[in-house]
Amino acid sequence: MRRDVFQAIADPTRRAILSLIALQAMTPNALSEHFNSSRQAVSKHIKVLTECQLVNQVQSGREIYYHFNPETMKEVADWLEPFRQLWEDRFNQLDSVLDQLKSNQHEQ
Amino acid sequence: MSSNRKTQIVAQAGKQELFISRVFNAPPEVVFRAFSTPDLLEQFFAPAGTTVKFDVADFRSGGKYRYTQCDANGNALAAFSGVIHEVTSPERIIQTQEMEGLPQAGHVVLEAMHFERISDNQTKLTIHDVCMSVADRDAIIESGMASGLTAIFDQLDEVLNGI
């Protein structure tokens, strides 16, 4: 499921859609006005974004509004964290090695 | 496990590359030495709860390296090897890296390490990895979760031994 999120945000149009609706919820018409592509093309992108829970569709009266779902993006940011922590640990160990090398140099 | 967040990772969605960078309080000559001396690499490169041991370490342009990562009991977890394209002290190391024993061979990473002098006692290291596919790049990042698990399993062992 998380892989789908990455495929979803790899596409520049979908990233642009997310940036727009992150600012404010939008109707399909309002959204498609921002793009040169057809309303059908935009709605295909919306379908992908909805399927991986980056977008929620909310009915309000006769209109549908697209809402950005920040929880899913948070998952994307967290995806890097274990890998970053791995290198953080590695580099903290390196700090001790470097301190030792420097003090050896001073003794010589 | 407190994180002081000195290390920066940049991995854009849908790209085959990733960047790891960090500033060290040592001159480039010293940081470079740590990354090109097997005895020193063995002291810091192993993720928590593991050790690494080099059996090939010919750190010069056209050379090669190979190391094995083991758990706390000495069981081999994985081996990594590659050829060294360029060693320019104290500025740059360019090498390949491949994890051995994958179902399919050929998932090679091109890795460039840059050691940039910020001041006489400060160096910025940037590791630039270029993978053969986005899936390979994502798999490397997700391997970070595996090493997190290793540490958890070790703690679990300690708990079980105490029972």
Side-chain angles (χ1 to χ4, degrees):
Chain A
M1 180 58 87
R2 195 180 50 230
R3 260 295 165 47
D4 293 343
V5 175
F6 280 90
Q7 281 163 9
I9 60 175
D11 181 87
T13 306
R14 288 198 283 269
R15 279 212 288 266
I17 291 173
L18 288 177
S19 308
L20 283 168
I21 63 164
L23 290 172
Q24 62 174 130
M26 281 185 167
T27 63
N29 275 333
L31 186 61
S32 56
E33 276 170 21
H34 287 271
F35 298 95
N36 290 327
S37 31
S38 67
R39 213 188 126 166
Q40 283 85 345
V42 172
S43 100
K44 255 187 191 166
H45 285 307
I46 283 290
K47 189 165 176 283
V48 175
L49 292 169
T50 306
E51 275 168 8
C52 56
Q53 296 173 324
L54 281 160
V55 169
N56 296 328
Q57 303 196 15
V58 179
Q59 185 88 36
S60 172
R62 293 176 57 197
E63 293 277 25
I64 288 175
Y65 281 84
Y66 299 136
H67 288 258
F68 173 63
N69 179 9
E71 279 312 302
T72 307
M73 280 307 283
K74 197 168 152 265
E75 202 183 306
V76 175
D78 290 347
W79 180 69
L80 272 177
E81 189 51 31
F83 184 70
R84 205 192 59 76
Q85 190 61 53
L86 164 72
W87 282 93
E88 196 87 80
D89 291 347
R90 194 171 263 170
F91 289 151
N92 287 340
Q93 295 182 97
L94 175 55
D95 280 337
S96 322
V97 171
L98 294 175
D99 284 344
Q100 234 176 339
L101 289 176
K102 284 194 291 182
S103 65
N104 289 350
Q105 267 185 345
H106 288 306
E107 282 166 23
Q108 278 166 14
Chain B
M1 270 302 232
S2 72
S3 163
N4 44 9
R5 305 192 71 88
K6 287 188 205 161
T7 304
Q8 268 206 317
I9 308 278
V10 176
Q12 283 189 287
K15 294 232 173 159
Q16 286 160 254
E17 61 185 351
L18 80 99
F19 296 86
I20 302 159
S21 57
R22 163 78 135 80
V23 174
F24 297 96
N25 292 322
E29 290 78 10
V30 176
V31 184
F32 185 92
R33 211 174 119 205
F35 275 91
S36 53
T37 311
D39 289 354
L40 298 174
L41 277 164
E42 286 173 2
Q43 288 177 43
F44 73 86
F45 206 71
T50 68
T51 57
V52 297
K53 184 89 192 144
F54 280 83
D55 57 300
V56 180
D58 186 10
F59 282 98
R60 58 185 174 85
S61 299
K64 56 185 175 178
Y65 71 92
R66 182 179 186 273
Y67 67 87
T68 307
Q69 189 186 341
C70 294
D71 68 15
N73 300 318
N75 304 311
L77 297 170
F80 297 86
S81 58
V83 295
I84 294 163
H85 178 75
E86 183 195 337
V87 174
T88 303
S89 174
E91 292 158 38
R92 191 161 64 233
I93 299 172
I94 301 175
Q95 61 191 21
T96 64
Q97 183 176 76
E98 182 172 3
M99 187 175 164
E100 296 179 4
L102 290 173
Q104 265 188 325
H107 294 266
V108 183
V109 181
L110 179 64
E111 183 168 79
M113 294 181 235
H114 290 274
F115 304 83
E116 183 192 339
R117 185 187 303 275
I118 292 178
S119 67
D120 281 347
N121 195 38
Q122 271 202 320
T123 303
K124 183 178 181 182
L125 166 70
T126 304
I127 301 175
H128 181 184
D129 281 357
V130 183
C131 304
M132 297 187 77
S133 66
V134 176
D136 279 6
R137 199 281 311 261
D138 289 352
I140 288 174
I141 289 170
E142 282 158 13
S143 73
M145 295 176 200
S147 73
L149 284 178
T150 309
I152 290 164
F153 288 150
D154 285 349
Q155 285 164 3
L156 185 64
D157 279 343
E158 280 172 36
V159 172
L160 293 176
N161 288 336
I163 293 172

